[in-house]
Amino acid sequence: MIRSILLAGILLTSGTFFSQKLKTVTYQDGSQKLNGLVTSNAGKKLPGVLILPAWKGIDDEAKTAAAELEKDGYIAFIADIYGEGNIPTSMDTAARYSGHYKKNYEAYQKRISLALEELKKNGAIANKIAVIGYCFGGTGALETARGNLPVVGVVSIHGSIGKAQERKNGPIAAKILVENPADDKSVSPEDYNNLIKEMNEGNADWQIITYAHSKHTFTDPKSPDYNEVMAKRAWNHTLMFLKEILK
C-alpha cells in the first residue's frame, strides 16, 4: 500500500520535474505560432521520437515519456498540434479541437510534418525517426502512417483507430504498433476490424497488443482508468518496438 502511494506520488509529480529539463522550441504553421518541447540532448546525432500528446495538448504524460526516451538514447520532441492561444480548458473544448483535426486529417498531418522537421533540426537522424501518440495523439500516429510521412514506425497508444468511410485505403510504409485497451468503449468492433483490413490492404508491417482489464486512458497515472501493471507492459512494448526499428 505505502509503495503504491509513493509510486503514484512520483508519477504525478514527474511531469513537472521533467518539464524543467525540456526546452521550448517555437515554430510556425503560417501565422499560427506553435510551441513544442525538446529533450536536453537536442543537437546530438541520435534516433528521434516525436510524441503526439492527448486531446488536451502537451501534458505530464507526454513530458514523462520524453524524459524516459531521452534516458534510452533518443531525442524526443513533443509536438504542439493546436498552437499558442488554443490550449483546451475543458473536456468540451478538447473534444471540439481534436474533432476538428480528426475531420480535417490533412491539417493534422501537416502539423505532424512540421513537428517532424523540428525534430530533425534538433539533431534526430532523418532515417531513424518514429512517432508515438496518446489518445488523440494515437490517432495522429496512425495519420502519420496513412499520410506516409517520413518515419520508420508509429505507436498508437489508446488512440481512436477509425477513419471516415469515404477515405480509401492506401499503401503504408511505416511499421505499426497499436496498443489497445480491451475495455475502451470508444473503439468499436467495426473500427477494430476496419483498421486490420486497412493495414493488410496497405501491406503494412503491423501488430496490435490488447491489454486486459484496461479502459481508455489506462496509461495515464492521473486518470481513473490508470492500470499500473498494464501501463508498464505497454511502455515496455513501446521501448522494444522502438529499439527494433531505430537502433
Side-chain angles (χ1 to χ4, degrees), residues 115-137:
L116 286 169
E117 287 302 312
E118 294 303 316
L119 176 56
K120 286 187 283 188
K121 288 177 185 177
N122 279 275
I125 301 168
N127 63 348
K128 291 189 176 183
I129 291 177
V131 171
I132 73 170
Y134 296 89
C135 189
F136 169 57

Side-chain angles (χ1 to χ4, degrees), residues 45-230:
K45 287 297 179 184
L46 295 168
V49 180
L50 178 67
I51 300 171
L52 302 178
W55 70 343
K56 283 193 172 181
I58 295 174
D59 58 12
D60 284 350
E61 186 171 25
K63 293 173 184 176
T64 301
E68 291 297 320
L69 289 168
E70 180 178 1
K71 288 195 294 186
D72 259 49
Y74 303 101
I75 298 171
F77 186 88
I78 308 176
D80 178 6
I81 299 301
Y82 300 143
E84 186 170 280
N86 299 313
I87 307 301
T89 55
S90 67
M91 299 289 272
D92 288 342
T93 308
R96 186 169 72 252
Y97 285 5
S98 62
H100 168 80
Y101 284 100
K102 287 178 183 178
K103 181 178 180 181
N104 299 283
Y105 65 90
E106 290 178 334
Y108 197 4
Q109 290 173 349
K110 182 182 179 185
R111 290 279 166 95
I112 296 167
S113 181
L114 291 170
L116 286 169
E117 287 302 312
E118 294 303 316
L119 176 56
K120 286 187 283 188
K121 288 177 185 177
N122 279 275
I125 301 168
N127 63 348
K128 291 189 176 183
I129 291 177
V131 171
I132 73 170
Y134 296 89
C135 189
F136 169 57
T139 306
L142 292 175
E143 287 300 341
T144 301
R146 289 168 177 147
N148 280 308
L149 300 185
V151 301
V152 183
V154 304
V155 184
S156 175
I157 305 168
H158 56 78
S160 176
I161 62 178
K163 71 174 185 180
Q165 291 184 350
E166 63 269 18
R167 293 176 64 184
K168 295 182 179 179
N169 295 336
I172 297 174
K175 302 177 190 299
I176 297 175
L177 169 59
V178 175
E179 297 181 352
N180 179 58
D183 302 325
D184 190 343
K185 297 185 186 305
S186 68
V187 174
S188 70
E190 182 181 19
D191 286 339
Y192 188 92
N193 292 331
N194 284 341
L195 178 64
I196 293 175
K197 181 174 185 288
E198 177 186 5
M199 293 187 294
N200 282 336
E201 290 185 357
N203 196 31
D205 177 340
W206 66 270
Q207 57 191 312
I208 298 175
I209 302 175
T210 299
Y211 299 90
H213 316 298
S214 297
K215 296 180 181 180
H216 178 56
T217 51
F218 77 105
T219 62
D220 185 356
K222 290 186 175 180
S223 169
D225 293 347
Y226 182 57
N227 183 323
E228 181 183 344
V229 171
M230 295 300 173

